[in-house]
Amino acid sequence: MNVTVFRIDDRLIHGQIVTAWLSHAEAKQIICADDAASNDELQKMLLQMATPKGVDLKILSIEKAKEYLKNDTTDVKTLLLVRGTNEASELIDELPSVKSINIGNLNMKTGKTKILGNVWVDNNDVEGFKKLKAKGIEAEVRAVPNDRSQDVYQLLAKENLL
């Protein structure tokens, strides 16, 4: 498969994905790699309902996604979605051609630090970003493709988190 956009977004599939990122990625397939969604029939149904007709959706656990990414030999353009940085770090090893990850949204929760309007991080998120950085992966924040790209590592450093 050809992962044209790899995105961290704790909302998975939502309006910005459907209206902007799918066409930007030229994707014919969405893979949601998420343990919780893969084990929840309601979440699966909601994600399927949000996916446009003509776009194939696969909702896989992280382990099944790793296996799928490792073994798929097609050239299908794919939008890969995960909820968090550690999931992204786990999957990136199966994608040697992917050098950059887009961050869309990490919601505000107690104990998190705001590094940008729609990106809040805790120690777990920061550890995931550190792993990605150590692997040489660029990480940029953009809500939609035509937004100005902002380097996550610089944003983390500005907050003394990296």
Side-chain angles (χ1 to χ4, degrees):
M1 101 191 48
N2 178 5
V3 174
T4 52
V5 173
F6 187 170
R7 181 174 169 98
I8 298 170
D9 193 320
D10 59 13
R11 300 168 296 173
L12 297 175
I13 301 173
H14 54 86
Q16 292 169 337
I17 297 296
V18 173
T19 62
W21 285 105
L22 269 175
S23 62
H24 177 76
E26 299 177 347
K28 301 294 180 212
Q29 172 176 255
I30 298 173
I31 295 176
C32 288
D34 186 73
D35 290 338
S38 72
N39 290 311
D40 184 320
E41 291 305 315
L42 178 59
Q43 282 189 57
K44 285 184 195 177
M45 182 180 68
L46 293 171
L47 290 168
Q48 188 64 57
M49 288 172 56
T51 302
K53 288 187 187 329
V55 176
D56 186 34
L57 172 64
K58 291 183 177 26
I59 304 167
L60 306 171
S61 69
I62 296 299
E63 284 306 312
K64 286 186 178 172
K66 283 166 59 172
E67 192 68 24
Y68 186 78
L69 294 170
K70 183 181 197 175
N71 295 319
D72 184 271
T73 58
T74 67
D75 196 36
V76 176
K77 290 184 178 178
T78 301
L79 172 60
L80 176 59
L81 300 170
V82 296
R83 282 190 211 258
T85 61
N86 286 301
E87 293 89 343
S89 179
E90 281 191 59
L91 294 178
I92 199 68
D93 295 332
E94 306 305 333
L95 300 164
S97 65
V98 174
K99 304 295 181 204
S100 178
I101 293 180
N102 169 261
I103 294 82
N105 195 69
L106 292 172
N107 276 322
M108 175 183 69
K109 291 183 182 155
T110 302
K112 286 194 166 197
T113 301
K114 180 180 179 177
I115 63 168
L116 200 62
N118 58 328
V119 181
W120 294 71
V121 297
D122 58 19
N123 291 338
N124 191 43
D125 298 315
V126 172
E127 287 307 310
F129 280 127
K130 286 179 180 177
K131 291 175 191 171
L132 291 168
K133 187 175 191 324
K135 294 176 182 187
I137 303 301
E138 295 175 10
E140 52 103 31
V141 178
R142 285 189 295 159
V144 293
N146 61 354
D147 278 355
R148 180 175 65 91
S149 175
Q150 296 189 60
D151 185 286
V152 166
Y153 306 127
Q154 290 177 2
L155 294 169
L156 290 168
K158 193 186 301 183
E159 295 295 328
N160 298 314
L161 296 171
L162 192 61

